[in-house]
Amino acid sequence: MTPDPTPVPIAVTGATGRMGQTVIETASERQDCTVALAVSHSADDVDEVAGVPVRDAADLPSLLTVYDPAVLVDFTVPDATTTYVEACVESDVAAVIGTTGFDHGGTECLRTASESVGLLKAANFARGVAALRRAVREAVGTLPGYDVEVTETHHNGKRDAPSGTAKTIVSDIEAVRSGDDSDAGDSRTEGNSDERVHGREGIQPRDPGEIGIHARRAGDVTGEHEVLMADNHELVAVTHRAESRGVFAAGALDAAVWLADRPAGWYTFTDVIEDER
Ligand code: NAD
């Protein structure tokens, strides 16, 4: 019998956040990875998550040297992520980034880091969202001229709006409309075309080609995205609903195991999925 491969040691930042906790809990149920290090920033006051000690993120550079993880998994806030990624570069640790809401400077910082270490960024680690994006690209190509509206709903604690996933979907739609139906992963999310209309108020008739984008914040909704495409005779709606944060954690850990030992470079969750097909 072939022995199981050695579990990939990972570090988890934002260990006390919604996603950080879920990543640690999900990893504890898997054989292919193990949480070697969990950190959270000093404002938090939690000692352990799922039996894993939570250390001070301010000490991350030295902790990476001591615990020697292969991959860091990050779901925090953009300013923290860029600092953590700099520590990864110093210690030659790859990084899986689930954090959303980066501005141009933050994205450039991650791009620069990816010249030194493997860096995999995705606004959404749910496999269902990967399927939704493929379906939307296909539908938009089949339905030229149809009105498109993208609506996302998240819990009332979400900071950035619209969601990184909604921006990725809109970028996909714009790419198909401009004749490019390839999957660019998250690489185009920071663009902002004239066609994007965020919410509507007052007298605002719809222009042809407009892409409406709507962000709703309520309760503890894990994450929903709907893409509506319609002309005057028919309507197509494609919806994804995350039923639990475990789906994002599972995808991020799949990505971490895939990324370990890969060369420096910029990767997306699509690369992981395509590699499996
Ligand atoms: P959360 O608010 O529950 O957790 C945020 C974490 O970041 C906490 O641990 C908090 O202590 C830490 N943090 C906050 N401010 C900090 C600072 N200044 N310095 C260092 N750490 C800081 O949020 P969440 O729901 O876990 O989401 C975190 C991020 O992950 C968000 O950007 C969210 O959009 C994104 N997210 C991505 C996916 C995906 O699949 N890619 C899925 C869910 C959430």
Side-chain angles (χ1 to χ4, degrees), residues 17-222:
R18 293 177 185 83
M19 279 307 303
Q21 289 191 46
T22 311
V23 168
I24 294 170
E25 287 159 8
T26 306
S28 72
E29 294 160 5
R30 295 174 59 137
Q31 310 298 318
D32 58 354
C33 59
T34 182
V35 179
L37 171 66
V39 300
S40 196
H41 81 313
S42 48
D44 294 323
D45 191 21
V46 177
D47 293 337
E48 57 96 23
V49 172
V52 177
V54 176
R55 304 179 195 281
D56 188 346
D59 300 328
L60 186 66
S62 57
L63 290 168
L64 288 178
T65 307
V66 173
Y67 290 93
D68 198 24
V71 186
L72 178 138
V73 177
D74 175 83
F75 288 86
T76 58
V77 294
D79 284 351
T81 304
T82 49
T83 307
Y84 298 156
V85 164
E86 281 168 15
C88 285
V89 169
E90 288 300 310
S91 294
D92 195 25
V93 174
V96 167
I97 308 298
T99 302
T100 60
F102 292 92
D103 59 15
H104 181 72
T107 304
E108 281 306 301
C109 187
L110 301 183
R111 287 266 176 202
T112 302
S114 73
E115 292 166 13
S116 305
V117 294
L119 196 147
L120 190 153
K121 179 176 178 294
N124 199 306
F125 279 105
R127 283 168 186 271
V129 163
L132 173 138
R133 289 180 54 201
R134 291 174 77 95
V136 167
R137 284 200 302 275
E138 175 65 29
V140 168
T142 308
L143 306 171
Y146 280 44
D147 298 335
V148 179
E149 299 276 312
V150 178
T151 303
E152 54 100 341
T153 309
H154 283 85
H155 56 87
N156 55 26
K158 184 166 176 60
R159 296 160 62 97
D160 54 316
S163 68
T165 305
K167 290 199 268 187
T168 303
I169 292 167
V170 171
S171 298
D172 287 343
I173 295 164
E174 289 167 343
V176 173
R177 283 182 170 178
S178 67
D180 172 9
D181 64 356
S182 64
D183 183 336
D186 274 0
S187 63
R188 289 183 289 227
T189 58
E190 310 304 334
N192 201 359
S193 77
D194 293 343
E195 288 82 35
R196 300 181 186 197
V197 174
H198 294 269
R200 289 189 184 82
E201 190 180 29
I203 310 301
Q204 205 174 350
R206 196 178 205 291
D207 286 333
E210 206 168 285
I211 303 173
I213 307 168
H214 311 277
R216 306 193 299 179
R217 297 288 173 266
D220 192 33
V221 178
T222 304

